[in-house]
Amino acid sequence: MFNRMISIRSLLLSVFLLLMIFPLTVAVITYKKENEISQKQVSQYLLQTVEQTQRALDANLAEIDRLTWPLLYQQSLDFLDSPLESAYQLFQANQKFRDMMYMYLFRGRLDHIRDIYLITANQQVLSTNKLFYSFDQIESGHFRYIVDQLENQPLKMNWFSDKWAIFRSQEGFQTPIRESVTAVRKLNDSNTSQLRAYLFVQLNDRFISEIVGNVHIGSTGSFMISDAGGDVIYQQDSALFENPAMKETIRKLHKQGQGIQVVDSKWLLAYNTSSTSGWQMSAVVPLRELVVPNQRILQYLIIIAGLGTLIFVIVSVLLAMAISRPVIHLARLMSTTSIDNLHMRENVGSIREISILQRNFNRLRERIQQLLRDNEVQQKEKRDALLQAMQMQIQPHFLYNTLDTIYWMSKEYEADSISKLVTALGRFFRFTLHSGQEWTSMKKELDHVENYLQIQSFRYKDKLEYDIQMDPSLKNALVMPLILQPLVENALEHGIAKMSKGGKVSVNVTKEGDRVVLSVFNTGNGIDIEKAKKLLQSPDSSEHLGMRNVDQRIKMAFGPEYGIRFSPSQREGALVLVYIPFRTEVAG
């Protein structure tokens, strides 16, 4: 290391001197090695691109495979145990099948799915496509081919190109989203190993194009995916794969592994075979595209190096002086920068590159000042946005249960009870859909809970009793919307629903000093307090999500001393307490 600092002026002069001596030597050496290194690097890069794309696609395939695992267990297909002889029975089974596919198994991948079919062992058809309802509609040859392939790998998800689709809609209207590939799995009885059904997941072209559609191989290269039988699954628009020599080379590629080949001394071909699906990815790019630009750049480099040797002799000293002076001044100014003198500005010079640095330095100071001003506002906005986002989460199962209750009551009763149920349901969702406001009154919150319990009383019939009490002085107390309903819902699901004779839910609102205490009590089994506390503090658990949501909202709004507490009840049952501060006006 140097014992003393070197000035930028001396450093620039030294660099210019080296540039005058060595440019031609460096250019000649680089020219000799460039072609060899360039082609090797491009080959590695091309193969890595194919490998990375293959891994991304395999991950997508594995995700579809994983989503079907629940169907391997007996209970997931229990609705097939009922006879499917009448049209009504088949309709009911189809409805359960669609609900399972869309609302449970594939709800996160619906934008990639065209249709889903289930062909049972006795050739019954369950389908998400209402136009496909009979075994007579399938392509029998394609179905037999797929079944034969499944026998070779009965425990794995198998993938087939659109060529082997078992059903094609004959509609005149065609959507822009087309079929792509079909994932097929054999489903056996987990107890007897007997065949129960074949599951067909018909994916659309977005399933593959979203992953590989943005993959570019140079400026004129192309990309293709084919299955183990050689059928093209995806191909970018290009004439490169139509070349006879290219077709023949691809046909002779190994069906396993990966590699790089030069085709007809004109094209560079990289391929990789998936161990998950057996699909082969091929990428081709003309060698000319890779070599010619590099050679041209090297030729320019030699010419520039020669001219630069002459030019540097003349301008080195002048340029060193011109560059060093404003840079040194800017460095001194930067060394004195602090929060107290961010208002200071550097005068812009006449040299373009240095002036860019000076302008950027001035903008940096202005930006720092702006960031300091915005930071306080952003922190408050972030907190408010997070509170509102958590406030908007509502589990959908209550809606489904209620609508199911309305449906069956319409079969059994007259319109009077249905009118009461629909009225309560309308009040419930009117409050819910307008709960984006940050605060509501305690009376409105309790009215909402009463509507909820009234709705649930139809569902539980004679099993549910409820009681709501409130200190009259608290009716105008401010409370965040939707903090009681998740707790009452939890009391019903984990308390009343598990009691054969039913039970009672009591909601009570009282005041303790400067705090409001909201209690929810239900008869039945007591609470394992330690387990409940762990679930309340576990961000990754899906259990008691609504209760954890309420606790987090309260703590974020008022502090850790408020929120949910679990208390052993004096009677047989479970008691949950919620503590919030007493307020009648929004704090500033």
Side-chain angles (χ1 to χ4, degrees):
M1 295 181 59
F2 293 106
N3 293 326
R4 62 186 184 88
M5 302 295 293
I6 301 177
S7 69
I8 187 173
R9 188 174 304 163
S10 300
L11 183 60
L12 287 172
L13 289 174
S14 301
V15 170
F16 290 149
L17 180 60
L18 291 175
L19 290 175
M20 287 187 291
I21 296 174
F22 293 106
L24 292 177
T25 304
V26 172
V28 171
I29 296 174
T30 304
Y31 185 80
K32 291 181 179 180
K33 298 293 183 180
E34 177 64 21
N35 287 336
E36 177 183 349
I37 296 175
S38 176
Q39 184 168 332
K40 182 178 180 180
Q41 290 178 341
V42 170
S43 299
Q44 292 175 347
Y45 173 76
L46 187 61
L47 186 58
Q48 289 174 358
T49 300
V50 174
E51 288 176 347
Q52 292 172 359
T53 307
Q54 181 75 73
R55 284 196 295 268
L57 184 57
D58 282 353
N60 220 22
L61 301 180
E63 174 68 7
I64 297 298
D65 185 11
R66 184 188 64 78
L67 292 176
T68 64
W69 289 352
L71 296 178
L72 299 177
Y73 300 96
Q74 177 76 18
Q75 61 270 24
S76 297
L77 297 173
D78 283 347
F79 61 88
L80 293 180
D81 295 335
S82 303
L84 303 178
E85 298 175 355
S86 68
Y88 179 76
Q89 291 169 337
L90 188 60
F91 171 80
Q92 289 292 320
N94 251 307
Q95 186 63 39
K96 292 179 179 178
F97 174 71
R98 292 191 188 103
D99 290 344
M100 177 183 291
M101 295 300 107
Y102 287 156
M103 298 168 57
Y104 174 56
L105 293 184
F106 295 102
R107 61 183 178 184
R109 300 301 296 267
L110 295 181
D111 55 338
H112 293 152
I113 293 177
R114 177 79 175 222
D115 296 306
I116 307 174
Y117 320 130
L118 192 72
I119 311 297
T120 66
N122 58 355
Q123 298 184 346
Q124 292 284 354
V125 176
L126 302 180
S127 172
T128 60
N129 187 341
K130 295 183 179 180
L131 299 176
F132 182 29
Y133 51 84
S134 171
F135 188 80
D136 296 334
Q137 294 177 275
I138 71 170
E139 296 280 351
S140 58
H142 294 181
F143 181 75
R144 287 194 299 272
Y145 172 81
I146 291 175
V147 169
D148 291 341
Q149 297 299 312
L150 290 177
E151 293 302 322
N152 297 329
Q153 295 179 316
L155 300 179
K156 292 184 60 177
M157 176 75 79
N158 286 252
W159 300 87
F160 299 90
S161 67
D162 183 56
K163 171 184 175 181
W164 299 105
I166 65 170
F167 172 75
R168 298 186 187 277
S169 176
Q170 302 299 318
E171 293 177 297
F173 175 75
Q174 298 294 327
T175 65
I177 300 179
R178 301 180 297 278
E179 296 86 351
S180 175
V181 296
T182 303
V184 186
R185 179 183 284 285
K186 184 178 181 182
L187 304 176
N188 290 335
D189 191 300
S190 59
N191 296 321
T192 65
S193 298
Q194 296 293 322
L195 174 67
R196 302 201 75 191
Y198 295 101
L199 177 70
F200 292 75
V201 181
Q202 176 68 60
L203 299 157
N204 59 40
D205 53 1
R206 293 177 58 187
F207 175 72
I208 296 178
S209 64
E210 285 187 359
I211 295 178
V212 303
N214 294 325
V215 177
H216 299 289
I217 309 299
S219 58
T220 59
S222 188
F223 189 83
M224 183 178 74
I225 304 175
S226 57
D227 62 14
D231 295 326
V232 176
I233 294 175
Y234 177 86
Q235 179 177 325
Q236 292 178 342
D237 296 333
S238 175
L240 292 177
F241 289 105
E242 302 301 324
N243 183 276
M246 185 64 65
K247 285 184 176 181
E248 182 65 17
T249 302
I250 293 176
R251 186 182 66 81
K252 294 181 179 180
L253 291 176
H254 296 295
K255 299 305 179 182
Q256 299 293 332
Q258 61 183 14
I260 292 283
Q261 289 192 19
V262 177
V263 181
D264 204 17
S265 300
K266 297 180 180 179
W267 301 283
L268 186 64
L269 172 68
Y271 67 93
N272 183 279
T273 305
S274 169
S275 59
T276 300
S277 61
W279 294 354
Q280 189 172 79
M281 289 192 176
S282 304
V284 60
V285 62
L287 285 174
R288 179 179 176 184
E289 179 182 330
L290 307 176
V291 176
V292 172
N294 290 331
Q295 291 178 340
R296 186 174 301 136
I297 291 172
L298 290 173
Q299 291 172 357
Y300 292 157
L301 179 61
I302 294 173
I303 296 173
I304 293 173
L307 294 176
T309 303
L310 297 176
I311 296 173
F312 286 145
V313 174
I314 302 172
V315 302
S316 60
V317 176
L318 297 177
L319 189 57
M321 294 291 293
I323 292 177
S324 62
R325 186 181 297 111
V327 170
I328 292 171
H329 183 268
L330 183 60
R332 291 173 179 170
L333 185 59
M334 292 178 68
S335 65
T336 61
T337 298
S338 65
I339 295 178
D340 296 329
N341 62 1
L342 288 175
H343 62 280
M344 296 178 62
R345 296 294 180 266
E346 167 71 339
N347 295 326
V348 178
S350 59
I351 300 178
R352 180 180 178 183
E353 287 75 14
I354 302 301
S355 67
I356 292 175
L357 290 175
Q358 294 165 332
R359 283 195 296 269
N360 287 338
F361 175 74
N362 292 336
R363 291 170 184 167
L364 178 61
R365 289 192 169 199
E366 293 172 356
R367 182 57 177 164
I368 292 173
Q369 288 180 306
Q370 183 64 38
L371 289 175
L372 291 174
R373 289 192 296 267
D374 294 345
N375 183 58
E376 294 182 3
V377 177
Q378 291 177 355
Q379 291 299 320
K380 185 178 184 302
E381 291 177 348
K382 180 179 178 181
R383 174 177 170 273
D384 294 341
L386 182 57
L387 285 172
Q388 292 180 9
M390 297 174 68
Q391 198 168 287
M392 294 302 293
Q393 296 180 5
I394 296 179
Q395 294 289 347
H397 60 270
F398 170 67
L399 173 59
Y400 305 145
N401 292 336
T402 304
L403 294 179
D404 186 62
T405 302
I406 295 174
Y407 175 79
W408 289 111
M409 287 182 64
S410 68
K411 298 289 186 179
E412 184 176 356
Y413 301 103
E414 297 297 331
D416 184 51
S417 60
I418 297 176
S419 175
K420 293 180 180 179
L421 178 61
V422 171
T423 300
L425 183 62
R427 291 172 179 171
F428 177 87
F429 280 105
R430 186 175 300 110
F431 181 89
T432 302
L433 295 174
H434 291 81
S435 63
Q437 60 188 5
E438 188 174 3
W439 304 101
T440 188
S441 68
M442 186 66 70
K443 182 179 184 305
K444 291 182 179 179
E445 178 70 6
L446 291 181
D447 289 343
H448 176 67
V449 172
E450 185 175 5
N451 281 326
Y452 174 78
L453 288 169
Q454 184 178 357
I455 293 169
Q456 290 290 25
S457 67
F458 283 88
R459 177 185 175 191
Y460 290 95
K461 295 185 177 178
D462 298 330
K463 290 180 62 177
L464 174 62
E465 295 181 29
Y466 63 89
D467 178 57
I468 301 176
Q469 299 291 334
M470 178 182 64
D471 185 342
S473 65
L474 298 176
K475 66 178 182 179
N476 294 321
L478 291 181
V479 61
M480 290 179 291
L482 301 177
I483 66 170
L484 274 178
Q485 184 261 330
L487 306 183
V488 175
E489 180 180 4
N490 190 70
L492 293 177
E493 290 185 357
H494 298 282
I496 307 303
K498 296 182 179 180
M499 300 176 64
S500 59
K501 295 183 180 179
K504 182 176 181 180
V505 174
S506 298
V507 179
N508 193 22
V509 182
T510 59
K511 185 179 180 184
E512 292 183 0
D514 60 351
R515 298 191 303 177
V516 177
V517 183
L518 303 91
S519 66
V520 178
F521 170 82
N522 65 275
T523 58
N525 296 328
I527 298 177
D528 186 342
I529 296 179
E530 293 303 319
K531 180 179 178 182
K533 288 181 178 178
K534 291 181 179 179
L535 288 174
L536 201 62
Q537 297 171 0
S538 175
D540 299 325
S541 174
S542 60
E543 295 184 53
H544 299 290
L545 179 61
M547 185 177 296
R548 187 164 61 252
N549 190 336
V550 170
D551 187 60
Q552 290 175 350
R553 288 168 56 198
I554 294 174
K555 283 182 167 57
M556 291 181 64
F558 306 120
E561 64 272 24
Y562 297 97
I564 293 177
R565 304 288 186 271
F566 300 99
S567 175
S569 175
Q570 299 300 320
R571 296 169 290 172
E572 181 181 3
L575 177 63
V576 178
L577 303 174
V578 180
Y579 292 89
I580 62 173
F582 173 73
R583 294 181 181 177
T584 57
E585 295 180 356
V586 179

